[in-house]
Amino acid sequence: MHSPSSGISKFKGVDDVRSLLLLANGEFSTDIFSTAFLKGMEEAKKFLPTNSELTATGEQDQPKEKSSRGRKDWSDEVEADFSRTDRLVEAGACEVFDLNQMCSSMDNETGNSNKKGRKSKARVIDLHTLLIHCAKAVMDDRRRAGELLKEIQQHASPTGDATQRLAYWFAEGLEARLTGTGSQVYGTLTAKGTSAVAHSEAYQEFISACCFRNVSFLFANSAIFNAAVGRSRLHIVDYGFRYGFQWSELLRRLAARDGGPPEVRITHIDLPQPGFHPEKHMEEIGYRLTGIARELGVSFKYRAILAQWQTVSIEDLDLDLEPDEVLAVNDLYNFRTLMDESVVIGSPNPRDTVLGNISKMKPDVFVQSTVNGSYGTFFLSRFREALFFYSALFDMLDATMPRENKLRLALERNIFGWVVLNAIAYEGTDRVERCETYKHWQVRNQRAGLRQLPLDRETVKMARDMVKNKYHKDFLIDEDHHWLLQGWKGRILLAHSTWEADGASSHC
């Protein structure tokens, strides 16, 4: 993997902002620059304190009227993020200046509190605050960053409580960014990766303790099952890397369908990944699903395509649908890794290209599940967003899995650890973790010519009942603008929706 490129987010303070503005007026087009620059400006606002709270849920907690009727449609607000003007660029520079002033003030307050703390025998360590101070120092005071990092590492632990484990992995990311060794650390993580069997065991342990994947499978499989009602053939186009667990469950459900199962074919599109041998992995998935389908009496075909998703056109997918065949397209959290307009400037970005291709496929249903984050251009706002997101995730793991559980350690190391590392230590095309909020994805989908479908009430009820009866009380299920939301203790972490396109077979 290439060393992290510098990226826009490595500017330091107001002087660099001013330099960027001069570049925008000279060598670069301000329109092009604004798209990437101001998307980060919007995110930088998140660093400032806020009193807003997400609503908790439960069967009795329905979405408030205010969220959908007492304000403008938030798709209009999100749309504005993609078309900022030069005037807002200047305003954004002022916001960065205010942000640096606020952080300096925080540093002074921390210094004063540390002086007072010397009078006491013990000082309470706030690892979250130290991490944010360290992230800020990485941008403008590397010596200070090194000192803070050492203090964090003294109190962090991969086997401690939720906060200590969180701090351990974020400290790894900060150190890799500070020293420029992200590729080496990433290589170490992947080289020591668990076997497929161990990964499967850890995965099963995770889904038994956490509802996220089971609700995701329930939502997607129900949408596809419902689209195939009364049809004799089903074609699924699936994007991304998985072990096929979702489709084994759908095959069993289809096999038990009144009137018998349809003929099923799955086209699986995965990314070339040096060192991972995805072609072998995809071949194993095909063999396993074929065996399951044979046992269930379901006619089944599996096809694997190894390519960058944005390069796969309709012609590559064999979409000459047979009579009475329904087409379903599925994305389970994978589009977050597609490059966006902050990297691809002057040509269609991969996110919009893929969505455009999906629209051209004219699916009867496109099921999208997305990680609800905002890992945008600017490092500091991205760091804060990732810290809040993974604080909730590590807290959830601490509440649902024993700390000494080896499978939990494997999950935190081989899945969450490397994701945190990539989001923090990498820039440019080397950074693949690029989460967007579900509100931004809604605007992208609509632009691509897709129409959102209402939530199926039976599916929502099944999801609520599952979470209520089988999982920890702090998991939540909520709804917003036809998105099914999942979260932990009030923070929305995942979102699910369904879409259709004009000309799908169901409309013929």
Side-chain angles (χ1 to χ4, degrees):
M1 183 170 288
H2 302 295
S3 59
S5 56
S6 58
I8 295 176
S9 64
K10 287 193 174 181
F11 70 86
K12 302 176 181 178
V14 179
D15 290 337
D16 290 324
V17 174
R18 186 179 296 111
S19 299
L20 287 175
L21 290 172
L22 291 174
L23 283 172
N25 289 320
E27 186 177 351
F28 294 96
S29 162
T30 53
D31 290 336
I32 294 174
F33 178 80
S34 299
T35 304
F37 183 82
L38 283 168
K39 190 175 179 183
M41 286 292 92
E42 194 70 17
E43 294 156 358
K45 295 178 182 177
K46 299 178 182 177
F47 192 83
L48 300 173
T50 176
N51 293 324
S52 61
E53 295 290 338
L54 290 169
T55 59
T57 192
E59 188 134 0
Q60 72 278 13
D61 295 327
Q62 298 298 325
K64 296 181 179 179
E65 291 291 325
K66 182 178 179 180
S67 65
S68 59
R69 298 179 184 175
R71 50 178 288 184
K72 284 185 176 181
D73 188 335
W74 47 248
S75 63
D76 295 335
E77 301 170 10
V78 176
E79 180 71 36
D81 289 346
F82 296 103
S83 58
R84 299 293 186 181
T85 61
D86 297 338
R87 177 176 56 82
L88 290 181
V89 173
E90 297 175 2
C94 295
E95 287 186 24
V96 173
F97 180 74
D98 293 339
L99 175 61
N100 281 326
Q101 282 189 322
M102 189 267 290
C103 289
S104 298
S105 175
M106 290 172 64
D107 285 335
N108 292 334
E109 291 175 5
T110 302
N112 293 335
S113 63
N114 288 346
K115 291 179 182 178
K116 294 178 182 179
R118 296 192 188 107
K119 297 179 182 179
S120 59
K121 293 183 179 180
R123 181 163 64 93
V124 176
I125 301 298
D126 185 346
L127 286 172
H128 285 86
T129 300
L130 284 176
L131 285 166
I132 291 178
H133 283 316
C134 186
K136 189 259 179 181
V138 166
M139 298 170 61
D140 56 23
D141 189 346
R142 297 176 69 85
R143 181 176 178 181
R144 172 65 171 158
E147 294 172 352
L148 288 170
L149 186 59
K150 288 180 180 179
E151 185 174 3
I152 293 168
Q153 289 171 333
Q154 289 176 358
H155 301 281
S157 169
T159 58
D161 62 23
T163 301
Q164 291 171 324
R165 295 160 98 109
L166 174 83
Y168 176 84
W169 288 110
F170 273 76
E172 288 282 299
L174 286 170
E175 183 175 31
R177 186 181 182 93
L178 195 61
T179 59
T181 57
S183 296
Q184 297 175 22
V185 178
Y186 175 81
T188 300
L189 282 175
T190 54
K192 296 181 179 179
T194 56
S195 66
V197 174
H199 183 95
S200 178
E201 291 176 351
Y203 182 87
Q204 294 296 338
E205 182 83 7
F206 177 66
I207 63 176
S208 67
C210 171
C211 65
F212 293 158
R213 286 286 168 167
N214 278 338
V215 171
S216 302
F217 289 170
L218 170 67
F219 182 88
N221 288 348
S222 293
I224 296 171
F225 183 91
N226 291 338
V229 168
R231 303 297 191 89
S232 62
R233 294 178 177 86
L234 169 62
H235 185 184
I236 300 171
V237 176
D238 184 30
Y239 288 87
F241 177 87
R242 276 184 303 284
Y243 284 81
F245 298 119
Q246 176 181 357
W247 304 130
S248 60
E249 294 181 15
L250 179 61
L251 287 173
R252 291 185 178 91
R253 188 169 175 181
L254 289 170
R257 189 179 76 166
D258 291 340
E263 297 179 11
V264 178
R265 56 175 172 149
I266 294 178
T267 301
H268 179 191
I269 310 172
D270 206 355
L271 300 172
Q273 301 177 61
F276 282 89
H277 304 294
E279 64 280 355
K280 181 179 179 181
H281 168 74
M282 297 168 80
E283 184 178 343
E284 291 172 350
I285 291 177
Y287 283 135
R288 189 167 68 85
L289 291 178
T290 299
I292 293 173
R294 185 181 302 113
E295 292 177 2
L296 295 171
V298 178
S299 176
F300 180 79
K301 293 181 180 179
Y302 178 87
R303 180 189 177 200
I305 297 177
L306 195 62
Q308 297 293 331
W309 295 329
Q310 66 272 20
T311 66
V312 179
S313 65
I314 298 178
E315 291 73 23
D316 301 318
L317 295 175
D318 187 21
L319 291 183
D320 293 330
L321 300 180
E322 298 291 335
D324 208 33
E325 184 170 14
V326 63
L327 175 63
V329 178
N330 185 71
D331 165 47
L332 191 66
Y333 308 119
N334 290 301
F335 286 177
R336 75 183 195 281
T337 63
L338 287 165
M339 295 293 115
D340 56 24
E341 52 276 325
S342 68
V343 176
V344 181
I345 299 177
S347 62
N349 68 75
R351 297 193 174 199
D352 294 338
T353 298
V354 170
L355 291 174
N357 287 337
I358 291 173
S359 181
K360 292 175 184 176
M361 294 178 200
K362 302 187 184 304
D364 296 276
V365 62
F366 163 45
V367 186
Q368 183 177 33
S369 295
T370 184
V371 176
N372 185 51
S374 185
Y375 296 2
T377 304
F378 288 162
F379 167 69
L380 195 57
S381 61
R382 183 200 321 152
F383 182 91
R384 179 183 182 273
E385 180 74 15
L387 183 63
F388 283 4
F389 183 95
Y390 281 96
S391 291
L393 195 58
F394 275 76
D395 182 67
M396 179 272 295
L397 290 172
D398 213 40
T400 58
M401 299 179 72
R403 291 177 184 173
E404 66 277 6
N405 188 315
K406 292 183 179 180
L407 295 177
R408 174 183 170 184
L409 294 174
L411 281 169
E412 292 173 347
R413 179 183 179 280
N414 298 317
I415 298 179
F416 306 134
W418 85 264
V419 170
V420 168
L421 172 69
N422 184 268
I424 294 174
Y426 287 78
E427 293 297 340
T429 56
D430 291 322
R431 178 164 65 87
V432 298
E433 290 299 323
R434 297 179 170 275
C435 301
E436 278 190 314
T437 65
Y438 66 91
K439 298 178 181 181
H440 279 87
W441 279 110
Q442 173 144 345
V443 171
R444 288 190 186 277
N445 292 348
Q446 291 170 339
R447 281 181 166 186
L450 296 164
R451 291 196 310 272
Q452 192 171 15
L453 297 170
L455 290 172
D456 179 72
R457 303 318 308 171
E458 181 62 25
T459 301
V460 174
K461 184 180 184 305
M462 291 170 64
R464 288 188 184 277
D465 289 345
M466 176 196 295
V467 173
K468 180 180 179 181
N469 297 327
K470 296 183 179 181
Y471 293 96
H472 194 283
K473 63 181 179 62
D474 286 323
F475 285 109
L476 68 87
I477 297 291
D478 209 340
E479 302 173 45
D480 183 31
H481 285 73
H482 302 309
W483 288 82
L484 182 71
L485 309 177
Q486 292 194 76
W488 174 260
K489 290 184 178 179
R491 182 168 184 87
I492 301 302
L493 302 177
L494 307 171
H496 315 273
S497 62
T498 54
W499 304 77
E500 67 177 0
D502 288 328
S505 59
S506 60
H507 306 302
C508 296

